[in-house]
């Protein structure tokens, strides 16, 4: 469930941007939507650098999700969550 929320949080802004810009042509709309979707992780990482509690919160949530997925045997999902936890906690640590 948490993975679906993270995917929606990353993809919905890009899809909405593409939908709102469809009047300017689908090529421009798709490129703008892709740009918004690609920029979202950079904005999130910079937010964790500026506001360390956000990095610790995301790191803790990703760690719990990784442990849950390791317990259920979904190693690919769990490894992805563990990598996200390491990145979030590293960003929070660098800002101190």
């Amino acid at each position: 469930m948490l993975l679906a929320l993270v995917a929606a949080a990353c993809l919905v802004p890009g899809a909405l941007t593409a939908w709102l810009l469809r009047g300017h042509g689908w090529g421009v709309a798709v490129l703008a939507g892709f740009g918004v979707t690609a920029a979202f992780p950079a904005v999130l990482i910079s937010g964790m650098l500026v506001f360390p509690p956000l990095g610790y919160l995301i790191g803790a949530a990703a760690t719990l999700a990784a442990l849950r997925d390791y317990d259920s045997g979904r190693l690919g999902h769990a490894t992805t969550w563990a990598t996200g936890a390491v990145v979030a906690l590293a960003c929070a640590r660098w800002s101190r």
Side-chain angles (χ1 to χ4, degrees):
M1 181 67 174
L2 188 58
L3 185 60
L5 291 174
V6 170
C10 290
L11 297 176
V12 168
L16 287 176
T17 301
W19 183 256
L20 291 173
L21 293 177
R22 71 186 183 279
H24 297 284
W26 281 106
V28 172
V30 169
L31 286 175
F34 180 73
V36 169
T37 302
F40 187 77
V43 170
L44 183 63
I45 288 173
S46 64
M48 288 187 290
L49 287 171
V50 172
F51 188 63
L54 177 64
Y56 289 125
L57 181 69
I58 292 172
T63 300
L64 292 175
L67 291 174
R68 185 197 63 213
D69 284 344
Y70 277 127
D71 284 341
S72 65
R74 296 183 302 200
L75 297 178
H77 289 139
T79 304
T80 303
W81 281 118
T83 303
V86 168
V87 169
L89 293 173
C91 285
R93 180 80 174 128
W94 282 337
S95 61
R96 293 194 307 148

